[in-house]
Amino acid sequence: MTTPQKDPSMALQKEMLATYFDELSRAKEDNRKVVYTFVPGNLTELVRSFDLLPVYPEINALQNGMRRLSDDYIAEAERFGHSEDVCTYVKSDIGMMLKGNIGPTGRPLPKPDLLLLSYTGCFVFMKWFENLKAMYDCPAVMLHVPYQSEGEATPAMRDYVVKQLREEVIPALEKVSGKAYDETRLRAMLTKSAKAEDGLVKALESAKQKPSPIDAYFGGVYYVGPIFTAFRGTDDCIRYYDHLNDEIDRKIAAKEGPVTPEGIMTEQRYRLVVEGPPNWTHFRDFWKLFHDMKAVVVASTYTKVGGLYDRGFRHDPNRPLETLADYCMGCYTNLSLPARTDLLAHYIDKYDADGFLIHSVKSCNSFSAGQLLIMRELEKRTGKPGGFIESDLVDSRYFSAANIKNRLESYLQMIEQTRSTRSA
Ligand code: SF4
């Protein structure tokens, strides 16, 4: 296998993450306190405004998956008593902890000083942190984010979240950091977040171009990295998106496709929208299947789990706590099935996609429940063919390249048939 090719922005993102993991490994000697939290509904600016360091167990799990370390951790968690049906992010995380909490880059991870459970739609979040609380014997605080069952966040829902931020989350952060809440500092960080969010949206929307200069699923996971994790609210984050957009502008001018691990994608025969998270243990093989079949992804829902910025939301420094509440309520995991279907229909239309593909992952009920219904509804509404493939997040036992290849081939043939029927 050849060395995977990368855009300079991907290398920069990797460098930023490495620096972050280094910072985490030194946290205790640097006397820094650490808050574990989840990607959807993360309150990174608020956490950082207290000089606390955020840790995201899902990111550790997926990074371990990409490095093929997760299988061992999952086996360890299963030996410890977790069933095969438990979300593999959870088992990877718990297995890593049982084996000494060495992070994906080979450096030790600090124990949490606080668990901040921002609950945005996935019940597993609650069970996951219940386990961590017992194992680490540390304090926890929960932010209950109401589910958008009726398709919108109401003022009463916002007030409910803000009240919890004021009365529970901020006092817990004050206690663990020993610092008082500094709203001026938080506002300054939120201003930076909004700038970076403009940059991310510009990058994702470049996929409306033909050829698309980006892959909005496989490449997209690199592009969302800084905003979905520890960098929102920092100058580094803004710099990353400036750099990324310069790179994309150059590609647009040259009518160049994205760099995939196999090289530049020169021909784009199929433009797809993808629903569901990627497989991480075989990320390169997975991407290669699409590359070899000349399929580029022009929009994806996975790149919205940490915030739905392309529908207009920006963190607003003038309403610091209200904006954090709106952010949490608007994450993809907190949307109802009809709202998810509307979003996908919007992407298929706006990005002029040939069809949409659902990647159903065994681990994640939050994503997988209702996906077949979504598929039927989208086919009816858009008249475009839908495809369905299956694997898992970080458990390599459930990734079969041959199965996915067969299904993908049949699906792309359906697109060809639709094309020939339309042109007849
Ligand atoms: S079930 Fe899905 S959303 Fe929930 S923790 Fe696991 S991967 Fe994340």
Side-chain angles (χ1 to χ4, degrees):
M1 196 182 262
T2 52
T3 312
Q5 294 195 33
K6 287 199 165 112
D7 273 324
S9 66
M10 291 172 177
L12 176 62
Q13 197 251 29
K14 204 173 161 197
E15 218 177 278
M16 287 166 76
L17 265 183
T19 310
Y20 159 69
F21 276 112
D22 274 357
E23 205 180 351
L24 288 181
S25 71
R26 291 193 317 270
K28 294 299 159 190
E29 50 191 273
D30 292 348
N31 214 13
R32 303 283 304 272
K33 295 279 175 57
V34 172
V35 176
Y36 281 27
T37 195
F38 291 112
V39 170
N42 71 72
L43 302 170
T44 298
E45 300 89 346
L46 185 64
V47 169
R48 281 203 176 272
S49 75
F50 286 91
D51 283 324
L52 296 164
L53 277 172
V55 173
Y56 311 88
E58 301 133 300
I59 301 294
N60 297 338
L62 78 85
Q63 290 287 336
N64 282 328
M66 283 180 126
R67 291 164 170 82
R68 299 301 291 269
L69 299 166
S70 52
D71 284 345
D72 269 0
Y73 295 151
I74 290 168
E76 183 71 17
E78 287 179 357
R79 272 195 294 276
F80 190 68
H82 290 280
S83 106
E84 204 181 311
D85 292 330
V86 171
C87 165
T88 48
Y89 273 180
V90 179
K91 285 189 289 188
S92 175
D93 184 44
I94 287 179
M96 178 184 75
M97 180 193 153
L98 292 170
K99 286 193 149 208
N101 227 13
I102 302 300
T105 56
R107 313 284 305 267
L109 286 174
K111 289 182 181 170
D113 295 291
L114 177 72
L115 299 169
L116 169 52
L117 166 54
S118 184
Y119 177 80
T120 49
C122 175
F123 185 70
V124 173
F125 289 157
M126 222 149 35
K127 294 287 149 201
W128 191 344
F129 270 17
E130 247 176 51
N131 272 275
L132 293 197
K133 185 171 175 358
M135 295 172 94
Y136 284 116
D137 190 23
C138 67
V141 62
M142 175 165 168
L143 178 70
H144 177 235
V145 177
Y147 187 59
Q148 284 205 31
S149 55
E150 302 301 319
E152 62 171 345
T154 64
M157 286 155 71
R158 180 180 305 116
D159 292 348
Y160 171 64
V161 178
V162 169
K163 188 171 187 297
Q164 293 174 74
L165 288 170
R166 272 194 213 294
E167 295 178 6
E168 288 168 52
V169 176
I170 290 176
L173 295 170
E174 285 181 324
K175 191 168 176 201
V176 73
S177 66
K179 293 187 176 175
Y181 171 54
D182 181 346
E183 196 156 277
T184 309
R185 191 167 186 209
L186 176 61
R187 284 178 201 272
M189 290 177 134
L190 293 170
T191 305
K192 291 180 187 178
S193 300
K195 265 196 196 158
E197 288 153 8
D198 284 342
L200 171 63
V201 172
K202 183 171 183 245
L204 292 178
E205 293 195 334
S206 70
K208 289 178 181 168
Q209 303 278 335
K210 291 183 186 175
S212 171
I214 63 162
D215 184 288
Y217 186 51
F218 297 105
V221 300
Y222 289 90
Y223 309 148
V224 297
I227 275 193
F228 281 14
T229 62
F231 300 93
R232 221 173 53 221
T234 67
D235 289 322
D236 282 350
C237 197
I238 298 172
R239 262 196 299 276
Y240 170 78
Y241 289 101
D242 287 347
H243 181 93
L244 173 63
N245 280 306
D246 286 349
E247 187 177 280
I248 291 173
D249 287 344
R250 279 195 295 276
K251 284 178 198 277
I252 293 173
K255 290 211 160 294
E256 204 173 84
V259 167
T260 78
E262 315 309 314
I264 294 178
M265 192 171 190
T266 48
E267 197 187 337
Q268 300 182 1
R269 183 151 179 81
Y270 308 100
R271 293 169 63 84
L272 304 180
V273 169
V274 174
E275 144 77 10
N279 165 276
W280 300 109
T281 51
H282 295 74
F283 188 78
R284 179 175 176 182
D285 300 341
F286 196 24
W287 193 350
K288 186 176 187 311
L289 291 171
F290 285 68
H291 169 269
D292 291 352
M293 294 185 210
K294 303 178 176 38
V296 67
V297 181
V298 290
S300 65
T301 52
Y302 181 69
T303 50
K304 314 296 157 16
V305 286
L308 216 66
Y309 302 107
D310 60 344
R311 303 312 304 273
F313 172 81
R314 295 289 180 278
H315 282 90
D316 178 358
N318 298 313
R319 309 158 51 247
L321 297 187
E322 290 79 3
T323 206
L324 291 177
D326 287 347
Y327 161 72
C328 290
M329 289 189 289
C331 289
Y332 187 73
T333 49
N334 204 45
L335 301 187
S336 64
L337 283 190
R340 293 181 192 200
T341 312
D342 288 348
L343 186 69
L344 281 156
H346 167 84
Y347 287 154
I348 293 163
D349 177 32
K350 293 292 172 238
Y351 288 80
D352 197 19
D354 297 301
F356 59 94
L357 191 67
I358 290 180
H359 178 226
S360 185
V361 295
K362 179 189 173 292
S363 272
C364 181
N365 289 332
S366 180
F367 258 100
S368 306
Q371 278 178 331
L372 282 171
L373 274 175
I374 290 179
M375 185 165 127
R376 296 291 164 240
E377 180 62 24
L378 282 174
E379 282 179 332
K380 227 184 331 173
R381 253 202 246 179
T382 65
K384 303 262 168 98
F388 199 85
I389 52 176
E390 293 166 277
S391 74
D392 188 54
L393 296 164
V394 291
D395 190 338
S396 69
R397 290 174 292 187
Y398 298 99
F399 184 88
S400 161
N403 278 346
I404 293 178
K405 185 168 184 271
N406 281 343
R407 292 227 197 153
L408 202 52
E409 272 169 358
S410 323
Y411 170 62
L412 297 177
Q413 276 167 16
M414 271 166 66
I415 293 183
E416 290 294 350
Q417 263 170 8
T418 316
R419 280 179 181 162
S420 53
T421 316
R422 282 200 178 130
S423 62

